[in-house]
Amino acid sequence: MNQQDMQQAQQNLADLGKVAVLMGGRSAEREVSLMSGQGVLQALVDAGVNAQAFDPAQRDLSELKRDGFTRCFIALHGRYGEDGTVQGALELLGVPYTGSGVMASSMAMDKVMTKRVWQAEGLPTPRHVLVHPSQIDTVSAQDLVAKLGLPLIVKPAREGSSIGVTKVQHTQDLRAALLAAAACDHDILCEQCIVGDEVTCPVLGAGDEARALPVIRIVAPDGNYDYQNKYFTDDTQYLVPSGLSATEEAAIQALVVKAYQVLGCRGWGRIDVMIDGATRQPYLLEINTSPGMTSHSLVPMSAAADGMDYQALCVHLLADAALDYRESAP
C-alpha cells in the first residue's frame, strides 16, 4: 500500500466516527454477547477505529447521543439486542447501527413468525406446532408426536444459542421439554426433527446485493450442538470447505440468500439449515441477525474461508451501519 492509499484508509476509518460496541445487555445470552463484544472492540481498536464498549444493562442508551457516539456495532444477542428493541431506540436517537432494521430484527428473532414468512414464500422449513405455556397440561403428547414424529425438537420461540432447546426422543419426555422451553419464553415451538447434515451459512449485504459466504458443516458430539458445545468446548468440528458437492453448496447458498431477503434483512446474518440425510432436501431452521463473534463463532470462520479476516469483517460490518429511517424535510 502506497502513502496515498494509507492516508485514504486512515481517513475512511476516521469517517466512521466515535463508535459504541454494544455488548452484554439483559438477555439470557449476556455471557456470549460480552465475549463477542470484546472481540469486536479489540478488532476495531486495532484497526484504528475510535471504538468504546457500551453495555446497555449498565448505561442508558440516551448516553450514546450525549457522549457523541456516531454509530453502533451491535454485538448484543437475544432479547433487547437482536429483537428490534434496541434497533428502535437507535432509530429514535438517529444513531446508525449494524445489522438488520426494526421489523426484520423483530421477525427474525421470533422463530414462529420467521417460519410463517418462509412458508408464505414457498421456502422449505420443518413442520411445527406452536404451544403456549397454558396448554402444557392439556396438549396431547400423542397428537404432537403424530404430527411431528420422533425425535422432535422443543425450543423457546424467541431465544438463541440453543438455550432451552430439547431433543425429545420419547413421548413421556415431552412435558419436561415443554416446561424447560416455557421457562425461557411464553411461546414454545415444537418442530419436526430433520436427521442429516447440519450446516450454516452467513449472508452479507442487503437486497439484490446480498451474498452468501461459504457454507460450514457442523459435526457435534453425538449430534448435540448445544450451548456448551457451541461456546465452551473444542469437541465440535466445523468443516469449511463443507465437503458438500459444489451443486449442493450453491443450492444452499441461493436458498439462504432468498430466506434473508424475504425477511428484509440487511448488514449481515447467519441461517441454520438441516439437510435430510435420505432425500438431501435442505430445510431452513432459523436466522440469526446478530450472530456471535466469539473465538468459536461461525461467521468469522466462513468469512476467513472467503479471504476476509476477523478485523476486516468487523470494519466492513461497521461501515455498513445504517438507519431504517433517515431525517427528511417535512
Side-chain angles (χ1 to χ4, degrees), residues 3-21:
Q3 185 67 25
Q4 185 175 358
D5 289 340
M6 289 178 63
Q7 290 176 343
Q8 183 60 53
Q10 291 170 349
Q11 182 58 50
N12 290 342
L13 291 174
D15 288 344
L16 295 176
K18 185 178 179 181
V19 176
V21 179

Side-chain angles (χ1 to χ4, degrees), residues 61-99:
L61 286 172
S62 63
E63 295 179 26
L64 290 168
K65 201 74 170 178
R66 185 199 69 186
D67 293 345
F69 288 101
T70 55
R71 66 181 62 203
C72 291
F73 192 115
I74 298 178
L76 299 165
H77 306 315
R79 297 180 192 184
Y80 314 116
E82 196 171 354
D83 61 356
T85 53
V86 77
Q87 289 80 6
L90 294 174
E91 291 286 341
L92 291 171
L93 291 170
V95 179
Y97 52 91
T98 56

